[in-house]
Amino acid sequence: NAGVTQTPKFRVLKTGQSMTLLCAQDMNHEYMYWYRQDPGMGLRLIHYSVGEGTTAKGEVPDGYNVSRLKKQNFLLGLESAAPSQTSVYFCASSSSGTSGTFTGELFFGEGSRLTVL
Amino acid sequence: QQQVKQSPQSLIVQKGGISIINCAYENTAFDYFPWYQQFPGKGPALLIAIRPDVSEKKEGRFTISFNKSAKQFSLHIMDSQPGDSATYFCAASLKGGTYKYIFGTGTRLKVLA
């Protein structure tokens, strides 16, 4: 079991460039999330999804878009990167609880470090 | 009201000592309080969690103490070891939600050998 896999692990962009971060999970989880981690700020939720074809905004959604076309994948897009988006991005997934196996636990990927020059 | 305030920002403890990290929240609708542990270069991983119907939960050397009236909870690491050196995040989530956690700002723990 790979768990939650994020690609790429590292990326350097120039201001104004676009890119997509890919998250894949093999645990058949309904819920998926994108967080960003910045020093002294903890983890802040960007967007999340409660199922295939659905997305919703989190705490800091501006400048990002997401898509969940398949249950196992959650994509995070930056249309026009800005230096303020330099961060470490974490994808996470969790079960919904409907299957009786719910624990509330988030399973995180290892992160994608993005630098915007 | 959605914030979770965590302290201290950093902590240095001698091997064998007790590490204590504190968190406070405002929203009484929060009903699940996990602690996550993160090693450098890795994603956070669930360490231990508690619900507000109990005042304490212990798993090995790790204990959560929960004070519902004060809206505070804390993580105690007994007999701290160098391998416990990591960043610890407290979090809270709302009842019946999609477990959109509100995370604290993190505590960087260093345990000296």
Side-chain angles (χ1 to χ4, degrees):
Chain A
N1 254 357
V4 177
T5 304
Q6 293 181 228
T7 54
K9 292 192 179 342
F10 301 93
R11 185 73 187 269
V12 179
L13 289 178
K14 293 181 179 178
T15 297
Q17 287 185 319
S18 63
M19 74 158 295
T20 301
L21 297 177
L22 171 64
C23 177
Q25 54 96 3
D26 61 3
M27 295 172 283
N28 201 33
H29 284 166
E30 293 80 10
Y31 297 163
M32 296 187 74
Y33 315 80
W34 276 106
Y35 286 89
R36 62 176 289 174
Q37 184 176 18
D38 302 291
M41 309 270 307
L43 291 149
R44 293 181 292 168
L45 183 64
I46 305 171
H47 285 281
Y48 65 100
S49 168
V50 299
E52 183 178 318
T54 72
T55 63
K57 294 180 180 180
E59 301 171 69
V60 289
D62 294 342
Y64 305 96
N65 56 76
V66 288
S67 64
R68 184 117 180 252
L69 299 179
K70 295 182 178 180
K71 185 178 183 179
Q72 64 268 33
N73 295 337
F74 196 29
L75 278 63
L76 177 70
L78 285 72
E79 291 185 346
S80 180
S84 61
Q85 294 177 304
T86 293
S87 186
V88 181
Y89 292 86
F90 286 98
C91 177
S93 70
S94 69
S95 68
S96 65
T98 56
S99 65
T101 59
F102 182 67
T103 64
E105 180 176 0
L106 290 181
F107 293 83
F108 283 88
E110 295 202 332
S112 296
R113 184 176 293 274
L114 175 65
T115 301
V116 183
L117 303 176
Chain B
Q1 204 182 24
Q2 289 290 82
Q3 281 188 325
V4 176
K5 294 182 179 180
Q6 184 172 348
S7 63
Q9 187 174 3
S10 63
L11 182 61
I12 299 175
V13 173
Q14 294 288 337
K15 179 181 176 181
I18 302 173
S19 304
I20 302 174
I21 305 170
N22 300 300
C23 284
Y25 63 97
E26 292 292 328
N27 192 341
T28 55
F30 288 143
D31 79 329
Y32 182 67
F33 302 89
W35 285 89
Y36 280 79
Q37 180 187 53
Q38 183 182 29
F39 293 105
K42 300 294 184 183
L46 180 65
L47 181 64
I48 187 172
I50 197 168
R51 295 193 183 274
D53 52 346
V54 296
S55 60
E56 185 175 281
K57 183 173 182 181
K58 184 175 181 180
E59 290 185 0
R61 297 184 293 108
F62 301 91
T63 300
I64 299 179
S65 297
F66 187 82
N67 186 329
K68 190 174 182 178
S69 61
K71 292 184 284 186
Q72 295 175 347
F73 59 110
S74 60
L75 176 69
H76 296 237
I77 306 175
M78 311 300 287
D79 186 26
S80 298
Q81 300 295 314
D84 297 331
S85 297
T87 299
Y88 293 82
F89 294 95
C90 62
S93 70
L94 295 170
K95 286 177 184 174
T98 51
Y99 286 81
K100 294 181 297 176
Y101 293 105
I102 306 297
F103 282 89
T105 51
T107 295
R108 183 172 292 185
L109 171 66
K110 185 175 178 65
V111 181
L112 301 176

